[in-house]
Amino acid sequence: MLEISENGRTWLLTGPASGYAVHLTEGDELLHLHWGPRIALADAEALAVRPLPVYRPFESPLDGREEYPVEGGPRFARPALSVRTEERRGTEWRFEAHEAEGDHLRLRFRDGGLVITLHYRMRHDVVERWVTLDNEGPAPLELLRADAATWTLPDREGWRLSQLHGRWAAESLLTAAPLTHGEKVIGSRRGHTGHQHLPWVALDTDATEERGEVYGCALGWSGSWRIAVAQLPDARVQITGGAGYDDSGLLLLAAGESYTTPVFAGLWSDGGFGGASRAWHAYQRAYVVPDADRDRPVLFNSWEATEFDISEEQQGALARRAAAIGVELFVVDDGWFGRRTSDRAGLGDWTPNPDRFPKGLAPLADHVHALGMQFGIWVEPEMVNPDSDLYRAHPDWVQYQPGRTRTEFRNQLVLNLAREDVQEYLWRQLDTLLSSAPIDYVKWDFNRCFTDAGWPGDPYPQRLWVDHVRALYALLDRLRAAHPDVVFESCSGGGGRIDLGIMSRTDQVWTSDNTDPLDRLAIQHGFSQIHPARVMAAWVTDSPNTQLNDRVSSLGFRFVSAMAGVLGVGGDLTQWTEEELAEAGDWVSLYKEIRPLVQHGDLHRLRPPTGGLSAVQYVRGDESVVLAWLQAQSYGEPVPALRLRGLDPTASYECLETGEIHRGAVLLHHGLDTALRGDLDAAVIRLRRI
Ligand code: DGJ
């Protein structure tokens, strides 16, 4: 709901539990008023008349109070907007108008030919914010920095910053530390979202998993990005974020051109970190992830089983075993196209390898369909190997700097997707591919960062950073429109491209190349802070885990770990014993039973994975399921009971595993025994209200 004061200078957005208010002063300064619990318009108006503090000339009363701090004038905080023309730098805006359309508020300002529109939209309790910049001319403008939003926190003591950091095979690890004066900057200067940080932060002063205020911000952008959390001299905290890492130029806007920032979404919750996560999940399922109410099938992926050494016959054999254990989607990973027999060749040539698939992909796809499964393939369209027909024909289609080495990571170069001819080539190749065989699913990978982001001949090569992402989004949108039944997974060497932007165009994400079931618990714990289990792909692979650490774990532990998200199987099924295949079949059918809860239910993190017992619980209607893992039992001590969440204390619940009847109040206040013992033990416990 959107309310506007009578004088048209105070705006209040209200969600189911929260409110957000801004105010325009007589001097056209747009001030932040409120972000927190619901308030009345009269409360916002009362806040609006509170005077700004009076500072001596070394501080600015605007710093820490403005909705979208521009560069210039009496401001010293990091600007969200920094603009340069040939004549001057900075912005001095005048307010023009507000426009309201349902719950979408637009505030329009002007500085000469530059029109700046701030957008606000309440979705559940998530405030979506973004900015459009229109250069009405006559002169060109250089956007040095154009953040999507700046978020302002209320005055409190002792802010703590939570973030998700990582690297390849160790993504989304949660860490928290007290905020101190100055700035904490996270981001990516790599051209993609990056494994190093998910574009999310959360701030609290004393929240727990179950209680307390949490402010969260998440950016929807799949290229380089930056979020800066600043504690200003008077201890006020602002969070500003947007596309691009530096202030060295995002785009050159010629007269008549526009730029729309990505969305930087913010969420206030007083339900602790658990409540905040559930609100983020509900928001993404309702407004971000395509077709989120549809179940994601159990998939098999060939990568760890066969890597580059693949053939039609061998994939068929894997498919038959996968079908027998209940897999619903069979995905041929890397190695099916061009001369891709290793990572040294083939990227860019998106036609089936004639030695491996002499009649194309259709015979295998048909076989997979005849087995009752959907068929999927892997692609990495934004890349090219120098040893490829594409590169031989178009060596100038890659990002490069003249006279400099073209840096190869994994023997590949990045295509310059900002070029229209490259966009058109990829569209034709992928459209033809998706039309050539009954393909239901595409795993879209991205396996190296930008290093030589040059574009010889273009007057403003800097735009490549933004235009690459725009072209990627446009290509995905076009493919989805032309092939509406095809489902896409975002992958970037595991979890290197996970953000709200890619999430709005893909159906699930590959969480990490780390498929070790124990490491995964921490990765999934971090991931779940912001993203729902409905998009979190997780595979059961072989034991020992030869890809990573040689850890030996039971099939049960591996399955229960992967069942916390979108279950997949990635082991070499031709090497699994009959007993293992039978057990796998049981786990897959159990997963299908609990899938609606996992993929669409409310997640409660019961205990974090810190060494001993950890557990998550999903609740949906009258049903609930607990997934519990015991990493190690120490000193022979009993394993603690798990206090459950989200149940009705006045109801009773039947445990489908044991047939026991439990009282809701007892489960909530005293807990449930898991019967876990020893090391790397795991359990699935289903409860149904009776
Ligand atoms: C990186 C991905 O994360 C893996 O799952 C696999 O698809 C390989 N790329 C294939 O090259």
Side-chain angles (χ1 to χ4, degrees), residues 303 333-334 340 378 410 443 445 447 491 493-494 510 513 539:
W303 176 243
D333 205 279
D334 204 343
R340 186 75 167 168
W378 176 98
R410 212 191 188 209
K443 174 180 173 185
D445 208 343
N447 277 306
C491 172
W510 181 221
D513 274 347
W539 309 339

Side-chain angles (χ1 to χ4, degrees), residues 168 195 301 303-304 307-308 333-335 340 343 347 378-380 410 412 443 445-447 489 491-495 510 512-513 539:
W168 177 79
H195 300 79
N301 178 290
W303 176 243
E304 289 202 20
E307 293 203 348
F308 293 106
D333 205 279
D334 204 343
R340 186 75 167 168
D343 64 12
L347 288 176
W378 176 98
V379 293
E380 193 179 2
R410 212 191 188 209
Q412 63 195 59
K443 174 180 173 185
D445 208 343
F446 181 96
N447 277 306
E489 175 177 280
C491 172
S492 172
W510 181 221
S512 175
D513 274 347
W539 309 339

